[in-house]
Structure formats: structure tokens, C-alpha cells
Amino acid sequence: MLSFILSAKRLLVGMWRSFKRPQFLSLFTTLFFIIFSGTMFYKGAEGWYWLDAMYFSVVSLIPTGIETGLYPTSHFSKIFTMIYLIVGTGVMFITLLMLGRSIVDFSIEEEKKEQAKKVLGINKADQ
């Protein structure tokens, strides 16, 4: 449970720091609109419920291979899905990379702070 809490803290701090970067904010906004457009398309073209359409739009962009049980049925939907995946997967990948970089940078900063505290603690004990 403790490791989950620490990981969640790193994720939240990483997200907070990422949103301060204009590039990440631009990518995140683009990703939001890609997911929104996919949700609207699948809602209208396939007649899926909102949550199902959004779930498919998000999960299909994450490279995990999760079986959603949903799939496009018309030729037009299949063509849209191919284009959607080519564009959306790239944006999702870059967004996740930038978020991961922020988390790693935060972890490195935390380690440096701990090392500095140890060095200062040792120096104070020597005096």
C-alpha cells in the first residue's frame, strides 16, 4: 500500500510539473481533442453509449492490447479507426513519454535532496 501511495505521489507531481510545460499542455490538449472526436464519432457512427465510445477511444490508443469487446462494424468506421489509431497513438505515446520524463526528473531530485541531507547530517555530526 505504501508503494502505491508513493507512486501516486510521483504521478501527481509529475503531472503537475508536466502541465507547466507549454509543449506538454499542447500535446495534452491535442490528445483530449483526439479522444473527444473519437468518442463523438463512435457514438454517432456505431451507436455506442457515451462511456463505451470513450472507453474504446482511450484504450485503443494505449499500446497494451486490452480486449474491449467493441469493434467498428462499417467500412467507414474501420477506415476512421485506422486513421484515428495512426494519429492518436503517436500523440498518446509522446504525451506519456513527457509525463514519464517529468516523473523520473522528480525522482532524481528527491534522491539528490536525500543525499544532501545525509551529507549535511554527517557534517553536522563531525562538528
Side-chain angles (χ1 to χ4, degrees):
M1 183 67 174
L2 181 62
S3 64
F4 173 76
I5 293 170
L6 293 174
S7 295
K9 177 189 172 197
R10 286 188 189 113
L11 175 64
L12 292 174
V13 170
M15 288 181 73
W16 179 258
R17 289 179 175 211
S18 293
F19 276 109
K20 292 181 180 179
R21 296 179 179 170
Q23 290 174 328
F24 182 82
L25 189 57
S26 175
L27 277 170
F28 188 82
T29 303
T30 303
L31 182 62
F32 172 80
F33 282 116
I34 288 172
I35 292 172
F36 179 75
S37 66
T39 301
M40 296 301 292
F41 176 82
Y42 293 119
K43 169 74 174 121
E46 294 293 327
W48 295 345
Y49 293 108
W50 288 103
L51 186 59
D52 289 338
M54 187 185 313
Y55 178 74
F56 182 80
S57 297
V58 172
V59 170
S60 62
L61 296 181
I62 300 172
T64 58
I66 294 175
E67 177 60 42
T68 62
L70 302 168
Y71 54 92
T73 54
S74 70
H75 293 297
F76 183 63
S77 293
K78 290 176 183 178
I79 292 170
F80 173 83
T81 301
M82 288 186 283
I83 296 168
Y84 175 79
L85 291 176
I86 290 169
V87 173
T89 303
V91 174
M92 176 69 88
F93 183 70
I94 294 170
T95 305
L96 291 174
L97 277 175
M98 288 189 75
L99 179 60
R101 183 177 178 184
S102 293
I103 292 170
V104 168
D105 290 345
F106 172 69
S107 296
I108 290 171
E109 287 176 17
E110 288 291 309
E111 287 177 18
K112 286 181 181 178
K113 286 179 185 177
E114 287 297 320
Q115 288 176 354
K117 285 180 184 178
K118 287 179 183 178
V119 169
L120 291 175
I122 292 171
N123 288 342
K124 287 181 181 179
D126 291 341
Q127 293 175 354

